[in-house]
Amino acid sequence: MNYDEIWENFLIKIKDLVSPFSYETWFTDTKLVNIKNNIATIIVPTNLHKKHLADNYKNEMEGVLSSITGNTFSFDFILESENINILNSFVNNSEFEEDSFRQSFSDANLNPKYTFDSFIVGESNRFAFTASRAVAEKPGKAYNPLFLYGKSGLGKTHLMQAIGNYIIDNTNKRVLYISSEKFVNDFINAVRYNDKNNFDKIDNFKNKYRKIDVLIIDDIQFLGSATKGQEEFFHTFNELYDSNKQIIIASDRSVDDLKMLENRLLTRFNWGLTANITPPDFDLRVNIIKNKISHLETADDVPLDVIEYIANNFASDVRQLEGAITRVFAYSLMMNKGIIDLPTAIEALKDQIIDRSVYKNNVHRIQTVVCEYFKITIEDMKGKKRSQNINYPRQVAIYLCRKLTDESFPKIGTHFGGRDHSTIISSYKKIDKELKSNEQLRVVINELKRRLSN
């Protein structure tokens, strides 16, 4: 078995020994990258994972790995940035037989979890997804280079690695996923020493980056601070492009906004196809959350209003959504016996949610004025009661929030007990329609507007 197969079997077995939440929190983002001298080296996402796994799961992990391999191992936990795995298989391309070669995910620096099937598609990322699939199916022929851009946390890395994983699964091509920082560091290490071994190091560097079929380079914007690194990447790009090798690049900004890079690089980035990924809309965020929790045993116990509350309040990127989900699950286990409901979610996330209303008549002030006018409490307005004496003022307040602020329907819903956007839209339309024929309601609305203007 290779490392990926060993770790896949390990995760299946460890999942039966720990709780679903513990498995999701501490094990799903781990990867086995090396076994040497009875030490298994595992990549983990954070320093907290290093300490927690070593302190709390050492015996279970050693037992499971021993049952799979028949040997006893200790564990060394490292971060991705500490991974010094060098692609020795790329040093001498002539050593490989094309028909029999099959690269491992770890040799390509790829996480096999990042696939096209696990990527949730919406309007904000559909074009980038489609372009990535086309490149994966015909590397070096469809769009070269492919340039993906968008803010951090929107799925660029997922798509890039999905391309690499697809190519490894379906072809004999050699793939390398790397950050621009790693590229520069490798180049510096190759040229640092002026001695007789220097030429060997430079040759090894060129073999690593130029004798591959697919180069995937992330965060290209960080190349801007390395003049010599830009020059070397320029030559690497030309070598690969002229050989019809696929180049995939990601950045947090468009090609035109990469002012720190040389014009000759920017010109080449525009030779192929550029695809933007924008923040996910509400429906996509809901689908992402549902997909994230779908494999958990408690997924069916998560109410829709909780999912929509999280989707409403964490709109900028996918990582925020995932962090919010993890926090809600953890809080519910510690404070509410594992029961997830809207009040628990609100309490769990209260420190992370910032009210971005900056308008004169903000949502809270509108709610306060309407409650005072109709003689109900804020708790009533945000609560579940649907009696006419509470529901009607709530609808009036929702109407005014939409008219007097720039808040979206989903965002307004978060201020009214986490109600979903369809309920908010319905309330707004009801009052708006009734105003056309109800003179008494028009008087009430005008009075409330007068009070709000003071």
Side-chain angles (χ1 to χ4, degrees):
M1 290 188 293
N2 61 32
Y3 293 157
D4 294 329
E5 291 172 336
I6 291 173
W7 202 243
E8 182 179 356
N9 288 334
F10 174 91
L11 292 176
I12 291 172
K13 290 178 178 292
I14 202 73
K15 190 174 185 179
D16 292 333
L17 299 179
V18 300
S19 70
F21 177 77
S22 295
Y23 176 81
E24 173 70 18
T25 304
W26 303 112
F27 289 96
T28 55
D29 291 326
T30 59
K31 179 172 69 172
L32 173 66
V33 293
N34 191 35
I35 294 179
K36 187 176 181 180
N37 298 328
N38 294 105
I39 298 175
T41 302
I42 312 299
I43 287 182
V44 297
T46 69
N47 283 315
L48 179 60
H49 282 74
K50 282 186 179 183
K51 177 173 173 53
H52 192 86
L53 288 171
D55 291 348
N56 297 279
Y57 293 103
K58 178 176 178 291
N59 293 335
E60 291 89 340
M61 293 179 69
E62 290 178 352
V64 169
L65 191 57
S66 177
S67 71
I68 295 172
T69 62
N71 296 308
T72 301
F73 296 95
S74 58
F75 286 89
D76 181 25
F77 301 106
I78 65 171
L79 301 180
E80 183 70 48
S81 59
E82 300 169 329
N83 182 19
I84 58 172
N85 175 37
I86 303 299
L87 305 181
N88 294 323
S89 59
F90 294 149
V91 172
N92 188 349
N93 193 45
S94 63
E95 294 177 2
F96 298 103
E97 294 294 333
E98 182 68 23
D99 291 339
S100 61
F101 173 70
R102 181 68 68 183
Q103 185 183 10
S104 72
F105 297 112
S106 59
D107 280 345
N109 291 336
L110 295 172
N111 185 338
K113 289 199 316 178
Y114 290 135
T115 66
F116 289 117
D117 289 339
S118 63
F119 189 84
I120 309 303
V121 183
E123 292 306 311
S124 63
N125 57 29
R126 190 178 304 279
F127 179 72
F129 175 83
T130 304
S132 297
R133 281 298 302 262
V135 167
E137 291 170 2
K138 293 185 177 181
K141 298 178 180 179
Y143 304 108
N144 199 20
L146 174 64
F147 187 96
L148 302 175
Y149 70 97
K151 292 181 179 179
S152 177
L154 298 182
K156 301 187 300 296
T157 298
H158 188 142
L159 277 181
M160 296 174 81
Q161 294 216 21
I163 295 172
N165 287 325
Y166 184 94
I167 292 172
I168 287 178
D169 276 337
N170 293 279
T171 74
N172 292 323
K173 294 184 181 297
R174 299 171 183 82
V175 178
L176 176 60
Y177 169 84
I178 205 80
S179 68
S180 64
E181 181 182 20
K182 175 64 174 171
F183 178 88
V184 171
N185 288 340
D186 282 355
F187 176 67
I188 292 173
N189 289 332
V191 301
R192 174 176 292 169
Y193 303 105
N194 185 20
D195 57 32
K196 63 181 180 180
N197 296 321
N198 199 46
F199 290 114
D200 289 338
K201 293 179 180 179
I202 293 174
D203 286 342
N204 288 343
F205 172 85
K206 290 182 178 180
N207 284 331
K208 175 178 177 179
Y209 285 101
R210 300 185 187 184
K211 291 186 179 298
I212 54 176
D213 300 298
V214 181
L215 175 62
I216 306 173
I217 185 160
D218 211 345
D219 292 323
I220 197 68
Q221 69 273 7
F222 294 128
L223 204 62
S225 59
T227 303
K228 291 295 184 181
Q230 290 188 53
E231 181 177 353
E232 180 56 35
F233 184 70
F234 172 78
H235 295 304
T236 298
F237 183 104
N238 287 344
E239 180 83 15
L240 294 173
Y241 186 87
D242 291 343
S243 302
N244 293 319
K245 307 300 186 181
Q246 180 67 52
I247 305 163
I248 304 157
I249 303 167
S251 171
D252 65 355
R253 63 204 75 178
S254 68
V255 174
D256 293 337
D257 290 327
L258 289 170
K259 306 298 184 183
M260 72 293 290
L261 298 185
E262 297 177 2
N263 285 332
R264 59 180 179 173
L265 280 176
L266 303 183
T267 299
R268 281 157 176 76
F269 294 167
N270 278 318
W271 281 354
L273 178 69
T274 62
N276 187 18
I277 303 178
T278 58
D281 58 24
F282 175 78
D283 290 336
L284 179 55
R285 296 197 299 273
V286 168
N287 288 336
I288 290 171
I289 295 171
K290 288 180 177 178
N291 180 73
K292 180 69 177 177
I293 67 175
S294 61
H295 65 285
L296 300 177
E297 293 180 2
T298 57
D300 293 337
D301 299 327
V302 181
L304 180 60
D305 58 1
V306 170
I307 293 174
E308 292 184 334
Y309 180 77
I310 297 173
N312 278 327
N313 283 283
F314 296 87
S316 62
D317 64 64
V318 177
R319 293 190 190 119
Q320 278 193 346
L321 283 177
E322 293 176 341
I325 296 164
T326 300
R327 186 177 177 89
V328 168
F329 271 80
Y331 189 90
S332 69
L333 282 174
M334 291 184 288
M335 307 301 293
N336 201 33
K337 299 180 180 179
I339 299 172
I340 299 176
D341 53 25
L342 185 58
T344 301
I346 293 173
E347 183 65 22
L349 299 173
K350 66 180 182 181
D351 294 335
Q352 296 187 358
I353 295 175
I354 301 173
D355 185 1
R356 298 175 178 85
S357 298
V358 293
Y359 313 103
K360 180 179 178 182
N361 294 313
N362 60 35
V363 171
H364 180 71
R365 184 159 183 259
I366 291 171
Q367 289 175 328
T368 301
V369 169
V370 172
C371 285
E372 290 174 351
Y373 182 87
F374 286 99
K375 295 181 171 43
I376 64 173
T377 67
I378 292 288
E379 289 72 22
D380 286 335
M381 179 168 285
K382 294 182 178 182
K384 296 295 185 182
K385 295 180 182 178
R386 297 184 57 83
S387 57
Q388 180 66 10
N389 68 312
I390 292 174
N391 198 43
Y392 193 68
R394 182 187 295 135
Q395 292 170 338
V396 169
I398 289 170
Y399 171 85
L400 290 171
C401 287
R402 181 60 177 171
K403 283 293 187 181
L404 301 180
T405 78
D406 288 341
E407 299 281 21
S408 65
F409 285 121
K411 185 64 177 177
I412 292 171
T414 67
H415 294 286
F416 286 82
R419 285 175 165 79
D420 67 84
H421 67 295
S422 60
T423 299
I424 301 301
I425 293 172
S426 176
S427 297
Y428 169 80
K429 288 183 175 180
K430 181 180 184 301
I431 299 299
D432 188 55
K433 180 179 180 180
E434 192 173 338
L435 276 171
K436 297 175 182 177
S437 58
N438 189 330
E439 178 63 29
Q440 183 179 359
L441 177 59
R442 284 199 292 267
V443 171
V444 170
I445 295 294
N446 288 334
E447 172 60 19
L448 290 170
K449 287 182 177 179
R450 184 190 69 78
R451 295 188 184 190
L452 286 165
S453 65
N454 292 337

